Amino acid sequence: MGEQNMLRIEQVDVKGHNAAWAILSIDRQKQRNALNTELLGQIADALDDFAQSSSVRAVLICGEGEHFAAGADINEIKDKGREEGYLDPRKAHWRRIRNCPLPLVAAVDGFCLGGGFELALMCDLIVAGTTAKFGLPEPNLGLIPGAGGIERLTTMVGRARAGRIVLGGEIVDAITANDWGIISYMAEDGALPFAAKLTERLALRAPLAMQAAKKAIVASAETPLKHVMGETRGDFENLLGTADKAEGVTAFLDKRKPTFEGK
């Protein structure tokens, strides 16, 4: 049986207007809001529902507590091999999230790592508080990001800076993320209050125009990347079956440094 209350969903009606926006709050605080498969499916389901709504026009995604999302759930990855990766329902969940036509805003405080960073990169605007930290540390586990994070980040910040994060394993703070163009807004008093006002403002704009504008932005940034992202996903699935992945995940869970052998 799955965990309860992993995703808090709230619709906010804008007073005096026939419009609303929604908040999706990730609530796995003991796991630093790590994204397991069930939770990712809940996010995708909620976005599908809001996309069919006649009133909801924008969606805010945030994390309960101190963190946005500290990555995927490592316990799920531990025993997952290549075949399981190929059949992984997460691929469809990620696809539905990226295909959501509504403007998405990520409010990021604390850790935004791995799959959490990939989720934020799928949003159209990122608001970061001063505690925000961004990274793609999957190579520490013998893996790579499998949901388009490398490609989106490289398009956003360029090869040199993407290399520092993906290959060098750097975790960048909010100030650096702002300087590099990863985030859209800095919020000195925490991301959520600023992001809520921003999302409401988006909800008051012409909804069909906003959806068309989002479609154009995504297409401009990502159409050349579709083939590359497919190859990256295949590489991710292949890595699931390696001894290095088993060592990396086991070392992480044992809280020790991994010893990789290239196998």
Side-chain angles (χ1 to χ4, degrees):
M1 184 175 178
E3 298 175 45
Q4 300 297 314
N5 301 321
M6 289 189 295
L7 185 69
R8 301 183 183 276
I9 303 172
E10 180 183 359
Q11 180 173 321
V12 181
D13 296 321
V14 182
K15 293 181 180 180
H17 297 271
N18 185 27
W21 53 283
I23 306 175
L24 301 183
S25 301
I26 301 165
D27 192 6
R28 299 186 76 214
Q29 296 182 56
K30 291 182 180 179
Q31 297 83 15
R32 295 179 175 176
N33 293 334
L35 301 172
N36 64 10
T37 301
E38 184 178 358
L39 172 56
L40 204 62
Q42 290 179 10
I43 294 172
D45 289 343
L47 292 178
D48 284 347
D49 289 343
F50 288 133
Q52 299 300 316
S53 168
S54 60
S55 56
V56 173
R57 298 179 180 178
V59 180
L60 168 61
I61 302 176
C62 64
E64 291 282 340
E66 297 179 355
H67 304 292
F68 180 74
D73 191 319
I74 304 303
N75 287 302
E76 283 192 336
I77 298 174
K78 182 179 180 181
D79 298 320
K80 186 176 291 184
R82 179 182 177 184
E83 293 302 319
E84 292 87 350
Y86 180 75
L87 299 172
D88 195 342
R90 295 170 67 94
K91 291 192 289 186
H93 298 336
W94 283 122
R95 191 178 307 115
R96 289 194 289 146
I97 292 169
R98 192 59 183 124
N99 288 339
C100 177
L102 302 176
L104 304 181
V105 177
V108 177
D109 290 301
F111 289 143
C112 183
L113 306 176
F117 193 12
E118 292 192 285
L119 175 60
L121 288 170
M122 288 186 183
C123 293
D124 304 290
L125 297 166
I126 301 176
V127 178
T130 55
T131 65
K133 296 185 184 303
F134 301 87
L136 294 171
E138 283 87 344
N140 293 338
L141 303 174
L143 293 168
I144 57 174
I150 295 176
E151 295 85 353
R152 292 188 178 97
L153 181 65
T154 304
T155 298
M156 186 177 288
V157 304
R159 177 177 175 179
R161 287 170 170 170
R164 287 174 59 173
I165 292 174
V166 180
L167 301 178
E170 290 190 29
I171 306 297
V172 300
D173 59 20
I175 294 175
T176 302
N178 189 46
D179 290 342
W180 288 7
I182 294 173
I183 67 174
S184 309
Y185 301 93
M186 277 274 292
E188 295 293 333
D189 299 322
L192 187 56
F194 186 103
K197 292 179 181 178
L198 173 63
T199 309
E200 180 169 301
R201 192 166 82 238
L202 299 182
L204 291 175
R205 307 197 75 195
L208 296 181
M210 292 292 280
Q211 292 181 33
K214 169 175 176 163
K215 180 181 178 181
I217 291 171
V218 171
S220 297
E222 297 187 4
T223 298
L225 301 179
K226 297 298 183 182
H227 177 68
V228 179
M229 285 192 279
E231 287 188 352
T232 302
R233 179 67 202 189
D235 290 339
F236 170 83
E237 292 163 3
N238 288 335
L239 288 168
L240 284 170
T242 64
D244 278 354
K245 169 261 177 178
E247 165 64 9
V249 171
T250 301
F252 177 87
L253 295 173
D254 291 345
K255 295 182 170 55
R256 62 174 174 82
K257 291 185 177 181
T259 300
F260 294 122
E261 298 183 2
K263 298 180 181 178

